[in-house]
């Protein structure tokens, strides 16, 4: 049965309007590519993949995007966030995969960008690749290290080639083997619009969901998990993780983006998360409305920033909170039942039962 997003059933999240596609790709210039590894081998069950978020269609190393990161709970193995926090820029695609796939994906992204620019690692300095992860070992043979550098390279190429800006959601790419609130999770996305000086800007969120206990699931304020009596098996009762990627075309500096990144936690909390002890809950935010040249023409740079003493900044906070919440719901609504390692099957969210709860 074809899966539908929450909004397709007539339910809305929050107050602000969405972009045309209700996706991170509503942010002009942003694209997403997936590589899905779904294979049963004699010695392994492979349920994993790679997702690449391309922040703009230019040269990411030569035109860095202003960025920030925020760690809600740091039980994660991401790459590259130390330099993002120090310098306030991202100079690569933002890559997502499983926990043990981080080294291979980082290498593949590095190889892709080295092939594009002979100056990287030579006379123009090193490259900081940003890679996020969640643990998909409930369904995937993570010890097999099935994600290879070429998969990261292909995910980036898929992002470049994406003529249809719609983003596949659910059990695809990095989300292939992920579990959320005891149900099948994975990739979800959503967007919101804000207005500044008569111009419409976008905030887009893409999430990789792999967190939460079934009884905690809350949708639009309703205790859906309690009503469904969702009791995950012991093997599924793990703390999990979530990576939240925020993109915007609204010009901001790194300090403002850090404020934006913190607000994703409010959207996460609305779905029932308490950021368990073993959960890696990490936010990466970028603005392609400000790009920093690798070799500036002068020693002083000028950046446009958002005025913070009016309503606009609060609208931005609302946009990120609402889009994060809806993106998580979409990851659940769009994911299909998936079988995997050691005979486990993770059921899709029982949509009809959920709708019955929401309609009460």
């Amino acid at each position: 049965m074809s899966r539908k997003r929450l909004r397709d059933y007539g339910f809305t999240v929050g107050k602000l309007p969405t972009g045309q596609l209700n996706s991170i790709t509503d942010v002009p210039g942003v694209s997403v590519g997936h590589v899905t590894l779904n294979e049963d081998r004699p010695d392994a069950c492979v349920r994993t993949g790679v997702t690449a978020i391309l922040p703009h269609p230019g040269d990411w190393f030569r035109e860095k995007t202003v960025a920030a990161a925020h760690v809600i709970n740091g039980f994660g193995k991401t790459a590259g966030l130390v330099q993002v926090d120090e310098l306030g820029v991202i100079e690569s695609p933002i890559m997502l995969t499983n926990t043990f796939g981080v080294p291979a994906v980082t290498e593949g992204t590095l190889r892709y960008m080295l092939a594009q620019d002979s100056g990287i690692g030579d006379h123009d300095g090193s490259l900081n690749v940003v890679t996020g992860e969640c643990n998909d070992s409930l369904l995937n043979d993570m010890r097999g290290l099935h994600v290879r550098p070429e998969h990261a390279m292909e995910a980036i190429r898929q992002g470049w080639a994406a003529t249809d800006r719609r983003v596949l959601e659910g059990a695809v790419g990095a989300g292939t083997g992920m579990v959320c609130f005891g149900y099948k999770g994975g990739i979800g996305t959503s967007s919101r619009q804000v207005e500044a000086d008569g111009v419409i800007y976008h905030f887009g969120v893409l999430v990789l969901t792999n967190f939460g206990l079934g009884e905690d699931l809350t949708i639009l304020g309703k205790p859906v998990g309690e009503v469904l009596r969702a009791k995950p098996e012991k093997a599924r009762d793990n703390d999990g993780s979530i990576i939240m990627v925020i993109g915007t075309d609204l010009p901001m500096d790194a300090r403002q983006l850090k404020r934006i990144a913190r607000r994703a936690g409010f959207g996460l909390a609305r779905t029932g998360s308490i950021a368990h002890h073993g959960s890696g809950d990490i936010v990466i935010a970028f603005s392609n409305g400000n790009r920093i040249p690798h070799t500036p023409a002068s020693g002083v740079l000028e950046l446009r920033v958002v005025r913070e003493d009016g309503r606009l900044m609060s609208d931005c906070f609302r946009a990120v909170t609402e889009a994060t919440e809806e993106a998580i719901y979409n990851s659940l609504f769009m994911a299909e039942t998936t079988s995997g390692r050691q005979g486990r099957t993770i059921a899709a969210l029982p949509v009809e039962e959920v709708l019955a709860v929401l309609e009460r």
Side-chain angles (χ1 to χ4, degrees):
M1 182 179 66
S2 177
R3 306 287 289 186
K4 297 180 181 180
R5 309 172 93 191
L6 173 62
R7 197 168 285 259
D8 294 332
Y9 294 100
F11 294 95
T12 59
V13 178
K15 301 177 180 179
L16 294 176
T18 71
Q20 181 181 7
L21 298 175
N22 193 17
S23 165
I24 194 171
T25 53
D26 285 320
V27 179
V30 174
S31 59
V32 175
H34 296 300
V35 167
T36 299
L37 305 178
N38 190 337
E39 183 180 357
D40 292 312
R41 302 178 183 177
D43 60 340
C45 184
V46 182
R47 302 287 188 272
T48 192
V50 182
T51 296
I53 300 102
L54 281 53
H56 64 75
D59 186 323
W60 312 304
F61 181 72
R62 299 291 171 179
E63 294 182 276
K64 308 176 195 303
T65 49
V66 175
H70 174 58
V71 178
I72 299 171
N73 195 62
F75 208 107
K77 288 80 177 171
T78 55
L81 294 192
V82 170
Q83 183 167 312
V84 172
D85 200 44
E86 182 71 21
L87 302 184
V89 295
I90 285 177
E91 55 188 13
S92 77
I94 299 165
M95 308 298 291
L96 304 177
T97 188
N98 75 58
T99 305
F100 289 173
V102 170
V105 168
T106 302
E107 178 186 345
T109 307
L110 178 60
R111 289 187 177 277
Y112 182 95
M113 294 188 67
L114 288 174
Q116 307 299 312
D117 192 326
S118 61
I120 297 175
D122 194 352
H123 54 273
D124 285 321
S126 64
L127 170 67
N128 182 53
V129 175
V130 174
T131 308
E133 55 78 30
C134 292
N135 186 321
D136 60 11
S137 60
L138 284 174
L139 292 174
N140 175 54
D141 170 36
M142 202 166 70
R143 286 175 54 89
L145 304 179
H146 302 291
V147 172
R148 306 310 308 147
E150 55 266 27
H151 298 133
M153 300 170 75
E154 179 59 23
I156 296 171
R157 286 192 287 265
Q158 290 296 323
W160 275 118
T163 55
D164 184 350
R165 291 167 42 244
R166 296 182 186 277
V167 175
L168 294 178
E169 296 172 285
V172 295
T176 302
M178 303 301 174
V179 181
C180 187
F181 290 110
Y183 297 107
K184 188 66 190 73
I187 298 293
T189 188
S190 183
S191 71
R192 294 295 185 274
Q193 295 179 338
V194 298
E195 183 179 337
D197 297 331
V199 179
I200 298 297
Y201 295 94
H202 295 82
F203 282 88
V205 176
L206 184 142
V207 296
L208 176 62
T209 63
N210 192 57
F211 70 95
L213 303 181
E215 59 263 32
D216 290 339
L217 175 60
T218 304
I219 299 180
L220 299 178
K222 302 291 183 66
V224 170
E226 292 182 4
V227 175
L228 296 181
R229 298 289 191 267
K231 302 295 181 183
E233 296 175 7
K234 188 67 175 177
R236 303 174 195 170
D237 192 6
N238 62 336
D239 290 346
S241 296
I242 180 171
I243 304 294
M244 295 158 276
V245 180
I246 303 166
T248 185
D249 56 337
L250 184 64
M252 290 184 155
D253 62 17
R255 182 188 61 79
Q256 291 179 328
L257 285 170
K258 175 77 83 170
R259 298 188 72 197
I260 290 294
R262 292 191 184 106
R263 269 58 185 189
F266 290 92
L268 174 63
R270 287 180 177 181
T271 69
S273 170
I274 62 165
H276 286 87
H277 160 72
S279 185
D281 304 326
I282 295 168
V283 190
I284 303 165
F286 68 88
S287 168
N288 62 18
N290 275 325
R291 302 187 198 178
I292 307 299
H294 183 73
T295 52
S298 66
V300 177
L301 298 175
E302 293 185 5
L303 292 181
R304 294 187 300 158
V305 297
V306 171
R307 174 180 172 179
E308 295 187 50
D309 62 347
R311 180 175 176 175
L312 177 57
M313 200 66 180
S314 292
D315 285 345
C316 296
F317 293 163
R318 184 184 298 276
V320 170
T321 298
E322 292 180 2
T324 301
E325 180 185 4
E326 187 166 357
I328 293 169
Y329 297 153
N330 285 337
S331 76
L332 285 161
F333 272 76
M334 292 298 289
E336 298 179 341
T337 297
T338 303
S339 297
R341 192 171 73 91
Q342 297 183 357
R344 298 188 184 105
T345 296
I346 304 298
L349 186 74
V351 172
E352 295 302 323
E353 296 176 55
V354 171
L355 295 177
V357 175
L358 297 182
E359 290 168 353
R360 290 176 187 172

